[in-house]
Amino acid sequence: MSATAPAAPAPGGAGPDERLRRTSPLRRLMGRPELGSVVGALAVFLFFAVVADSFLRAASLSTVLYAASTIGVMAVPVALLMIGGEFDLSAGVMVTSSALVSSMFSYQMTANVWVGVGVSLLVTLAIGVFNGFMLTRTGLPSFIITLGTFLMLTGLNLGFTKLISGTVSTKSIADMEGFASAKSVFASTLTLGGVNFKITILWWFALVGVATWLLLRTRAGNWIFAVGGGKDAARAVGVPVARTKIGLYMGVAFGAWIAGQHLLFSFDVVQSGEGVGNELIYIIAAVIGGCLITGGYGSAIGSAVGALIFGMTSKGIVFAEWNPDWFKFFLGAMLLLATLLNAWVRKRAEATT
């Protein structure tokens, strides 16, 4: 049996071409964006497993997963957008807008609930297209563009709801045709082994799987990393920068549509003022999961881990019977610690390459 031939020398006799070097499993692991968040998630899990007796119960873990999924459904597309180098400050209120459109259209038109769901999808995607189009055509920062959209949607949510319903909440659509089937898709409960799991957990897992495949196995994934690393350089090598960014904003809109339908069909009414501030939680989950503020680096799995940390922290405090007023403190501390850990891991990974 012949030995494997050595790597060909690089031009000029400088040694083997680094593209042909074998990368050890440890080095590949150190280079993963979500490594720091996984370590943080294990630490949070062990901490609450010790201080909260009920934390390890199956029902408690189901509650943690549900809390994580309500954030994770949005954290996944927000993470992809951040990898692409942009933000969306309208993501939180867009969830409420999606639910309001679905509810009010169905009620006012006395149509099958599924008609309202379909109209809501079109309207929500249109908001995503608007954000992406304004960003690519004006050249303004995404912070300014989406801040404007955030303020407009906040006003539209309240204004239209009061104009049509006379109050700040929508009318109940629980007795309308199609409500039961729509609830089974967006807000049902599955029972496995005697433990109840919300269907949003499945939506969350599905989005993580699709987003991971998109990032790592498709040309579009390469485009996302490229535009996040530098849009001018990406455009120079033929990447469709405008189309990629608009697609990313549509992805956030699609996540908002799913979250909005869950909100509607869980309670059958929607408060017009909901969602304000949630956009920061989505961004926090993505950052804890390893996404860089500057773009070009991160993963969908990391955003899922960040959302899981959020779920464990929010519910762990309750199971430990602590004052929930401390939740924001722990969330802020986790953000700082995870960001520092992610930066350290990234430096170590770069130092070993």
Side-chain angles (χ1 to χ4, degrees):
M1 181 180 293
S2 61
T4 303
D17 190 336
E18 65 179 13
R19 293 173 298 177
L20 302 178
R21 292 176 184 171
R22 292 182 178 179
T23 304
S24 68
L26 178 60
R27 185 176 294 178
R28 288 198 299 269
L29 178 63
M30 290 293 291
R32 292 299 305 166
E34 64 272 6
L35 177 61
S37 62
V38 170
V39 174
L42 289 174
V44 172
F45 178 83
L46 292 175
F47 176 76
F48 283 112
V50 172
V51 302
D53 295 335
S54 61
F55 185 76
L56 293 179
R57 295 175 184 172
S60 299
L61 294 177
S62 171
T63 303
V64 167
L65 284 175
Y66 173 58
S69 70
T70 58
I71 302 301
V73 164
M74 285 299 296
V76 170
V78 167
L80 265 61
L81 181 64
M82 291 182 64
I83 294 171
E86 306 296 346
F87 292 96
D88 191 346
L89 298 181
S90 66
V93 293
M94 198 189 308
V95 171
T96 306
S97 298
S98 170
L100 289 171
V101 170
S102 182
S103 176
M104 288 191 290
F105 188 91
S106 298
Y107 187 86
Q108 294 299 319
M109 300 300 176
T110 61
N112 187 294
V113 166
W114 281 104
V115 177
V117 170
V119 171
S120 174
L121 175 60
L122 295 177
V123 171
T124 310
L125 289 177
I127 296 172
V129 171
F130 172 81
N131 282 337
F133 179 82
M134 292 295 294
L135 176 79
T136 56
R137 284 305 181 97
T138 65
L140 292 173
S142 57
F143 177 87
I144 298 298
I145 297 293
T146 59
L147 179 60
T149 307
F150 162 81
L151 294 173
M152 289 189 292
L153 289 179
T154 302
L156 287 172
N157 289 350
L158 179 60
F160 269 112
T161 305
K162 294 186 71 172
L163 178 66
I164 294 174
S165 302
T167 64
V168 295
S169 65
T170 61
K171 305 294 185 181
S172 173
I173 60 171
D175 58 346
M176 297 188 65
E177 183 181 356
F179 183 88
S181 59
K183 182 172 183 176
S184 68
V185 172
F186 295 106
S188 61
T189 301
L190 308 175
T191 302
L192 298 174
V195 181
N196 294 329
F197 295 91
K198 289 290 188 179
I199 199 169
T200 47
I201 299 173
L202 296 182
W203 278 104
W204 178 34
F205 288 169
L207 287 175
V208 171
V210 171
T212 301
W213 170 79
L214 178 71
L215 282 175
L216 303 181
R217 293 290 184 267
T218 69
R219 180 182 299 177
N222 293 332
W223 292 346
I224 293 171
F225 282 109
V227 299
K231 63 180 181 180
D232 293 332
R235 186 179 290 110
V237 296
V239 174
V241 174
R243 190 169 59 182
T244 300
K245 289 184 180 289
I246 291 174
L248 289 171
Y249 276 104
M250 291 180 68
V252 174
F254 181 73
W257 173 72
I258 295 174
Q261 303 316 296
H262 172 70
L263 175 66
L264 171 61
F265 293 107
S266 292
F267 305 103
D268 76 64
V269 296
V270 183
Q271 297 290 329
S272 59
E274 293 185 27
V276 176
N278 285 350
E279 62 282 344
L280 297 180
I281 295 177
Y282 308 146
I283 294 173
I284 288 171
V287 172
I288 290 177
C291 291
L292 293 182
I293 298 294
T294 53
Y297 188 80
S299 71
I301 294 175
S303 73
V305 178
L308 182 60
I309 290 175
F310 177 92
M312 288 191 293
T313 304
S314 62
K315 299 305 176 183
I317 289 175
V318 175
F319 295 141
E321 298 181 353
W322 294 347
N323 188 333
D325 294 340
W326 289 94
F327 167 66
K328 291 294 178 65
F329 169 81
F330 281 101
L331 189 61
M334 281 304 307
L335 173 63
L336 291 177
L337 290 174
T339 304
L340 290 173
L341 181 58
N342 289 336
W344 179 81
V345 168
R346 189 163 185 256
K347 287 181 180 178
R348 293 282 295 180
E350 291 175 346
T352 57
T353 56

